[in-house]
Amino acid sequence: MKSFPAIDLHLHLDGAVQTATILELAREAGYALPAGTVPELDRFVRVSADCHTLTDFLKTFEIFYPLLKTTNALERISRELVEDLENQGLIYAEVRFAPILNVADPADTAQLRAAVEAVLYGLSSAQQLRTGLILCCYRGFPPDLAEKTIRLALDLNEERPGSICGIDLAGDESRYDASLYAAAFGNLGGKLPVTIHAAEAAPADSARKAIELLGARRIGHGVRIQEDPDLVKVVREKGIALEICLTSNLQTGTVSSLEEHPFAKYLAAGLCVTLNTDDPAISGITLASEWELARRTYGLSLADVQQIARNAARAAFVNEADRTVLEAQLLSNL
Ligand SMILES: [Zn+2]
């Protein structure tokens, strides 16, 4: 394989922060980190090769998260992410973050708006790369905060069409059911497409609820959908796209090995699978390394890669004219 489909649909802004940036943000804020150099800090903010639990995976975020609650930090990490993705040759990326996690007071609408504006401004520095911004609502937080996030997305799009490309629900699906957020997502009224983190840490039914109650057009991960053949059928027939993130699933213990991962099985079954990074800095990966991993593990043919490129274009939260251009670009790269 010479190249790979240069598109990432599942990429968390806060999981893509460079270690050197964390050090600088800490210095500026007078914030104490457990280490003072990049190699030493990497041991705390990147998971080790033997990480296989969600707890260890999430622990890495805690170290630097307080540094990501200013608009300066958000603008900077967004700009640096764009630069990094452009250097890697990506042509389209949908970046996501949860505004309520990146402000001092998540109930303060002005702070939420400022956080999103800062990220949009950082992303707008892109030269070649095209970006979309997905706002994440968060399980475990009160549904009215999801409502605020959704309202903000709709307001921004009314003021400047296309500011926000989609809405996500992240967080602990094993403890906070999709039904808690159904009313909030009902406010979308079909104005923005929805992707939901589901069937990663909870059984297949979590993805079913994401589709039925929250209107998901895409599922983040969806690893455990394989446990329910009926749901696999629904996902295929409705053309629900699956945002697969292999290394992340391995590191969080969602699968115990890549051989156990349903990626290849889903592809063979005609599901709309895509390949993405999730938290590239935390995981110590790039989109290219994930493609290399997938190729090595599953022996993907050129036809498989072309199919995944077409899937990704089909799944992207863009309008139909842009979708056609994107698909042609992705395929011509291969
Ligand atoms: Zn994710």
Side-chain angles (χ1 to χ4, degrees):
M1 187 168 67
K2 287 195 214 89
S3 195
F4 56 91
I7 176 170
D8 198 337
L9 298 178
H10 191 128
L11 170 56
H12 293 265
L13 177 63
D14 53 11
V17 187
Q18 292 161 24
T19 309
T21 303
I22 297 175
L23 278 171
E24 276 180 37
L25 290 173
R27 242 171 250 142
E28 284 164 21
Y31 180 82
L33 287 170
T37 66
V38 170
E40 286 169 31
L41 189 59
D42 271 343
R43 293 189 8 246
F44 296 91
V45 298
R46 289 193 176 192
V47 294
S48 57
D50 60 352
C51 174
H52 293 298
T53 73
L54 185 60
T55 318
D56 287 348
F57 192 85
L58 294 178
K59 222 185 266 170
T60 57
F61 286 92
E62 287 168 21
I63 311 242
F64 63 89
Y65 223 88
L67 296 167
L68 304 187
K69 292 181 190 255
T70 68
T71 51
N72 276 349
L74 290 170
E75 189 269 327
R76 175 175 177 169
I77 63 173
S78 307
R79 186 169 25 86
E80 289 181 353
L81 174 58
V82 157
E83 213 177 284
D84 185 25
L85 297 177
E86 287 193 323
N87 288 336
Q88 292 178 41
L90 265 70
I91 57 173
Y92 181 64
E94 286 178 7
V95 177
R96 64 182 76 193
F97 89 114
I100 62 164
L101 298 183
N102 295 91
V103 292
D105 177 6
D108 184 333
T109 307
Q111 286 185 28
L112 295 175
R113 175 182 274 264
V116 177
E117 302 264 18
V119 172
L120 284 170
Y121 186 67
L123 296 179
S124 73
S125 64
Q127 307 289 314
Q128 312 293 329
L129 176 75
R130 172 147 184 227
T131 62
L133 179 61
I134 296 173
L135 297 189
C136 307
C137 302
Y138 224 80
R139 297 180 199 254
F141 284 81
D144 65 301
L145 291 183
E147 238 175 275
K148 267 185 197 290
T149 304
I150 286 168
R151 172 51 46 205
L152 176 58
L154 295 176
D155 285 351
L156 285 166
N157 276 4
E158 232 162 71
E159 291 162 28
R160 277 165 294 160
S163 297
I164 308 299
C165 73
I167 296 289
D168 173 34
L169 180 64
D172 189 351
E173 57 169 329
S174 64
R175 289 170 61 202
Y176 303 99
D177 196 87
S179 58
L180 295 167
Y181 302 94
F185 274 71
N187 292 328
L188 276 170
K191 287 191 188 129
L192 269 175
V194 172
T195 175
I196 305 285
H197 279 78
E200 176 193 18
D205 200 45
S206 175
R208 186 187 289 277
K209 285 179 177 165
I211 297 164
E212 289 175 0
L213 302 179
L214 306 179
R217 254 172 53 187
R218 301 194 329 220
I219 297 290
H221 302 293
V223 174
R224 297 186 63 180
I225 285 172
Q226 63 174 332
E227 294 167 9
D228 180 348
D230 272 353
L231 183 58
V232 171
K233 212 171 143 223
V234 170
V235 166
R236 183 176 44 236
E237 282 168 4
K238 284 185 181 264
I240 305 286
L242 301 177
E243 303 157 2
I244 302 291
C245 311
L246 294 173
T247 296
S248 166
N249 291 157
L250 196 59
Q251 290 171 341
T252 57
T254 304
V255 293
S256 54
S257 72
L258 289 177
E259 288 67 33
E260 248 176 55
H261 198 289
F263 175 77
K265 200 164 75 182
Y266 286 167
L267 183 64
L271 268 57
C272 184
V273 292
T274 63
L275 189 61
N276 313 278
T277 57
D278 209 4
D279 300 295
I282 303 285
S283 291
I285 57 166
T286 62
L287 187 61
S289 75
E290 283 299 271
W291 271 99
E292 181 52 32
L293 180 71
R295 191 189 60 79
R296 230 180 27 239
T297 310
Y298 307 111
L300 300 178
S301 65
L302 178 60
D304 292 332
V305 179
Q306 286 169 332
Q307 183 57 49
I308 299 169
R310 278 194 291 270
N311 291 348
R314 201 173 99 200
F317 290 157
V318 295
N319 65 38
E320 293 314 306
D322 289 348
R323 192 184 313 286
T324 309
V325 174
L326 185 58
E327 182 178 333
Q329 269 182 305
L330 289 173
L331 289 169
S332 70
N333 268 350
L334 301 177

